[in-house]
Amino acid sequence: MSQSLADVLLQWERLEEEYHNIQETHRMYLQKLDEISKLQKSCFSAICLQRTKLQEMSSNVKKCSKVLSKENSLEMKDKIKMQTNALLEMEAFLPRKNGLYLSLVLGNVNVTLLSKQLKFAYKDEYEKFKLYLTFVLLLFSFICYFFVSYRFLDALLNFLLVWYYCTLTIRESILITNGSRIKGWWVFHHYISAFLSGVMLTWPDGNLYKVFRNQFLAYSLYQSFVQCLQCYYQSGCLYRLRALGERHNMDLTVEGFQSWMWKGLTFLLPFLFFGHFWQLFNSLSLFRMARLPVCTEWQVLVCSLSFFILFMGNFFTTLAVVHQKLKKRNQKTKIL
Ligand code: COA
């Protein structure tokens, strides 16, 4: 009995010791957090100050362009541009205030991820989320197109689409806060798609709805298929860029990445452009429908307009992205 009491007392002593150790570690942790928060603030204000100075310097270089030699002025402009980009990259690792949309949806919570690994993991999860949901949507559209013609199921599909696109806009805003270079149009494109699916959800089950239903479901099927290809391409880019970042291995691997990217892009582009023209076709079909005397539903014209905006934005942004990539490639080959 007395033996076991001694054991218990010994255990209690050890527990108390461990507890004190934990208290000490936690105290240190809070102290470091405090130090980090102070460092973040000083780093942020130093970046802001440096940015203003760079802007001033840029206008000074412009003013002195007549006095400076062409070479010097070009060199300085390049350096200013490089430093501005580097400051942007640094800023992606500092907490900052959420934009209007994130503040409205999430409130004032900090969404900045503080390490490269966390950023990569979040982007990777975003791509996987898109892929899994695309499979679900593909299956859903397939069932609605080939097997079940039931308005309630169509409404469920559109509801799922509204939820999917809204979630994407939130995730993309978080990605942008964390330094992603997603073009504004792709985020806006998801707002419009959410709106369009919402309008489709409210379209009453009349004759005109039945006429457009199959065309819309076939388009949804095709879009999900293209989305799978796009996810494959974008995950491929992500993994390859990450490997490059980790290995710091320059020319050869960068060229390897470029050639993989161009192969992927030239395979993907015809499918993308076909999808864009299908959006235009949807818009024109709905517009023709809206002009019929029997058409009383406002949804027809609104969907037609939404499809048209999607077509214009997607088509011209994709062209601009390809043009930008070609320009960069030509610049690189000139330097080599
Ligand atoms: N949705 C979400 N993110 C996108 C995106 C899109 N459509 N297009 C590009 N991005 C992201 C990239 O992942 C990258 O992110 P990161 O900075 O976090 O690494 C960033 O934007 C910059 O990408 P960029 O180099 O400009 O383009 P890309 O090579 O990744 O992709 C396209 C180019 C053309 C393949 C891509 O923009 C695309 O698929 N666009 C078409 C979308 C479309 O039309 N959909 C409807 C089909 S019917």
Side-chain angles (χ1 to χ4, degrees), residues 126-127 130-131 134 164 168 172 182 186 189-190 222-238 260 264-265 267-269 271-272 276 314 318:
Y126 161 81
E127 291 298 342
K130 272 207 304 196
L131 190 65
T134 304
Y164 170 63
L168 282 191
E172 281 156 3
I182 302 178
W186 301 128
H189 155 251
H190 291 142
Y222 180 77
Q223 201 191 23
S224 302
F225 162 71
V226 176
Q227 185 77 42
C228 289
L229 297 181
Q230 200 187 324
C231 279
Y232 173 73
Y233 165 80
Q234 251 141 8
S235 304
C237 283
L238 185 66
W260 183 89
L265 208 56
F267 175 76
L268 188 60
L269 280 176
F271 291 101
L272 284 177
H276 299 159
N314 286 343
T318 307

Side-chain angles (χ1 to χ4, degrees), residues 291-304:
R291 293 179 63 194
L292 293 175
V294 285
C295 176
T296 50
E297 294 101 334
W298 58 269
Q299 285 89 347
V300 182
L301 195 62
V302 174
C303 285
S304 162

Side-chain angles (χ1 to χ4, degrees), residues 166-327:
C166 288
T167 316
L168 282 191
T169 55
I170 298 171
R171 284 177 183 247
E172 281 156 3
S173 303
I174 295 178
L175 282 172
I176 291 173
T177 308
N178 281 288
S180 174
R181 297 151 304 131
I182 302 178
K183 290 209 160 30
W185 166 257
W186 301 128
V187 185
F188 190 57
H189 155 251
H190 291 142
Y191 287 113
I192 298 178
S193 302
F195 172 75
L196 174 65
S197 307
V199 176
M200 285 293 295
L201 184 67
T202 62
W203 191 344
D205 190 14
N207 280 339
L208 290 181
Y209 176 80
K210 286 194 179 94
V211 171
F212 186 64
R213 181 182 180 272
N214 273 1
Q215 186 175 326
F216 177 72
L217 287 174
Y219 164 76
S220 290
L221 265 173
Y222 180 77
Q223 201 191 23
S224 302
F225 162 71
V226 176
Q227 185 77 42
C228 289
L229 297 181
Q230 200 187 324
C231 279
Y232 173 73
Y233 165 80
Q234 251 141 8
S235 304
C237 283
L238 185 66
Y239 277 91
R240 279 167 181 80
L241 277 178
R242 193 198 183 201
L244 279 180
E246 275 178 357
R247 273 187 263 145
H248 304 290
N249 189 350
M250 289 287 99
D251 299 337
L252 255 182
T253 27
V254 172
E255 261 180 37
F257 167 74
Q258 288 283 332
S259 98
W260 183 89
M261 187 197 78
W262 279 108
K263 264 187 211 152
L265 208 56
T266 35
F267 175 76
L268 188 60
L269 280 176
F271 291 101
L272 284 177
F273 286 132
F274 187 77
H276 299 159
F277 281 99
W278 200 331
Q279 286 167 344
L280 179 65
F281 174 60
N282 285 345
S283 166
L284 294 178
S285 310
L286 285 165
F287 187 66
R288 225 177 293 138
M289 235 183 235
R291 293 179 63 194
L292 293 175
V294 285
C295 176
T296 50
E297 294 101 334
W298 58 269
Q299 285 89 347
V300 182
L301 195 62
V302 174
C303 285
S304 162
L305 267 174
S306 308
F307 270 119
F308 188 70
I309 296 172
L310 282 181
F311 160 72
M312 294 289 282
N314 286 343
F315 182 67
F316 288 107
T317 312
T318 307
L319 280 184
V321 169
V322 176
H323 179 250
Q324 228 174 32
K325 284 180 188 286
L326 276 172
K327 216 168 121 183

